[in-house]
Structures are given as C-alpha cells and as structure tokens.
Amino acid sequence: SQTIHQWPATLVQPVGSPLSLECTVEGTSNPNLYWYRQAAGRGLQLLFYSVGIGQISSEVPQNLSASRPQDRQFILSSKKLLLSDSGFYLCACNSGNSGANVLTFGAGSRLTVL
Amino acid sequence: AQKVTQAQTEISVVEKEDVTLDCVYETRDTTYYLFWYKQPPSGELVFLIRRNSFDEQNEISGRYSWNFQKSTSSFNFTITASQVVDSAVYFCALSEAEGTDSWGKLQFGAGTQVVVTP
C-alpha cells in the first residue's frame, strides 16, 4: 500500500520569507501527486497536481509553486510568503490506474505565516 | 461547475446516538464519483467510501451506512451507535469520471465536525 511522508509537520514563518514543503511517496511507482490546502474551517482546495516528473498543473492562481524532481517526490514552494498562505497543506497520491481514483493522504504540514 | 455542500457545520451527540451527515452535490457530468473521507484530530484524511454515479445501491459497512439518491443529488452518511472515536471532521467529495487529468481532482465540501461525548 502507498505511504506518504510530509515534512515539516509544523512551520511558523514570517511574511516575505521563502517556503519549501516536501512530500515523498512509498509503495507505488509513477503515482499522480497532488497538493491540497485546507484553510481554517473550510474544505480542501486542490492547488497543484502532477502526472509525471516535471509535469505540473496549477488549479488556482496563487503565490505558490510546485515541482516534481523525482517520480515520488513533490515539493511545494514560495519565494515570499503572504499571510493568506497560512493553512494546512496535504499531499496526496493515487496510482493512476483504472479504478484507483481513491486518494491516499499524508499527515499534512501546518503553516502559520506571521 | 462542480459543487459540494455540507450544510451542517458541527453535530454534537452523546455516545450511542446515531449521526447522519448530509451532502448535496452539483455536477453537469453524467458519470462521476462521490466520496466520504474522515479527518481525525491528527489531520490525515482517511478514505471511507467511494460510489460511482451508476451505483445507487446503498451500503452498510459495520456501523457506517450510506444513502445515495441521484434524484435529489444527495449522498448522506450515517454512523450508527456513535462512539467517542468517531469524533472527527467528515468530508464529502466529488470527482469526474476517471481520466488521466481527472483522477484525484476532488471537489470537497466544507466538512462537518462530529463531536461524540461519553
């Protein structure tokens, strides 16, 4: 089965500072990878997804970017954080096979921008 | 555009009571999938169930049951004889039918916080 590791688990950053959240996947190859954000009291919003190395699709315009340097590594970045970037960031994957649109989620990274 | 509405923000019950969570969705697609996920205090989302739009058979799994009614665009979830460990946020979600770009692109509702007290 698939396992997702995310780090850091918690992060407090000042406005204007850079960001790097990392996600790695075990137990599958060539997964589809996703970054979701959960704002306080709200549901999850899809930010980025990737169907392969170097392939990134953005779902919403924002201050963040994503990269996939390796098959099972997905990174969320920002050059200058905004207050509105605060939230709970969840990495997810599925295997990309037919019947496998069930997502496995990581434990999340909680970002507070001050 | 797809939309998922969970009108209940929070439900508080005493242990052993039943809890029903409402979910109403909107989509133009004729083929789609519906999901329920559980988010315990630890934060990680746990998959509970998936239903495709052609399968309206309701399901019972242990203390969980689901009621999918396409005619009213609803996909409700019931916890029978609730326990303290059921305390969590429950999310309903919708996705288009399978396709390379659609897999995993879920539209989530805002979630319902369930609080079960002893």
Side-chain angles (χ1 to χ4, degrees):
Chain A
S1 63
Q2 303 154 0
T3 303
I4 296 182
H5 300 283
Q6 283 188 246
W7 68 92
T10 305
L11 195 60
V12 179
Q13 292 285 95
V15 170
S17 63
L19 171 74
S20 181
L21 300 179
E22 190 157 344
C23 166
T24 58
V25 181
E26 291 180 359
T28 186
S29 58
N30 195 31
N32 293 340
L33 297 174
Y34 307 84
W35 278 112
Y36 280 86
R37 176 170 60 198
Q38 183 178 18
R42 295 189 174 184
L44 283 73
Q45 180 185 37
L46 179 62
L47 302 177
F48 300 96
Y49 71 94
S50 171
V51 299
I53 296 174
Q55 301 179 58
I56 307 295
S57 296
S58 174
E59 288 294 295
V60 294
Q62 60 200 297
N63 184 44
L64 303 169
S65 62
S67 62
R68 185 170 177 176
Q70 300 180 41
D71 181 47
R72 288 174 283 180
Q73 183 184 27
F74 204 23
I75 299 172
L76 185 69
S77 304
S78 174
K79 292 182 179 178
K80 290 186 178 180
L81 283 169
L82 305 172
L83 286 174
S84 58
D85 292 324
S86 293
F88 190 50
Y89 291 83
L90 288 151
C91 180
C93 79
N94 59 20
S95 69
N97 295 324
S98 177
N101 62 348
V102 173
L103 293 178
T104 297
F105 284 86
S109 295
R110 190 167 302 280
L111 171 66
T112 302
V113 182
L114 302 175
Chain B
Q2 298 178 337
K3 185 179 179 181
V4 177
T5 302
Q6 293 181 254
Q8 304 150 308
T9 303
E10 181 172 326
I11 300 177
S12 294
V13 297
V14 177
E15 208 169 18
K16 297 186 182 178
E17 290 182 342
D18 296 348
V19 181
T20 295
L21 309 180
D22 299 332
C23 174
V24 176
Y25 63 91
E26 296 176 26
T27 180
R28 296 178 187 173
D29 298 324
T30 56
T31 304
Y32 49 88
Y33 286 85
L34 294 164
F35 303 79
W36 277 97
Y37 281 85
K38 174 183 178 180
Q39 186 181 39
S42 61
E44 183 174 344
L45 268 74
V46 177
F47 166 74
L48 296 178
I49 191 171
R50 178 184 72 168
R51 266 288 175 270
N52 72 51
S53 52
F54 294 109
D55 181 5
E56 290 193 70
Q57 182 176 1
N58 294 317
E59 180 175 335
I60 298 174
S61 176
R63 296 186 297 107
Y64 296 163
S65 62
W66 291 269
N67 185 357
F68 176 29
Q69 295 196 353
K70 205 169 179 179
S71 60
T72 56
S73 297
S74 65
F75 185 44
N76 297 338
F77 170 45
T78 298
I79 304 172
T80 303
S82 61
Q83 301 175 2
V84 173
V85 293
D86 295 326
S87 296
V89 180
Y90 291 82
F91 290 98
C92 181
L94 167 72
S95 78
E96 298 173 351
E98 292 173 0
T100 303
D101 287 345
S102 298
W103 289 329
K105 293 173 66 175
L106 270 60
Q107 180 70 43
F108 282 86
T112 299
Q113 173 78 57
V114 173
V115 179
V116 182
T117 54

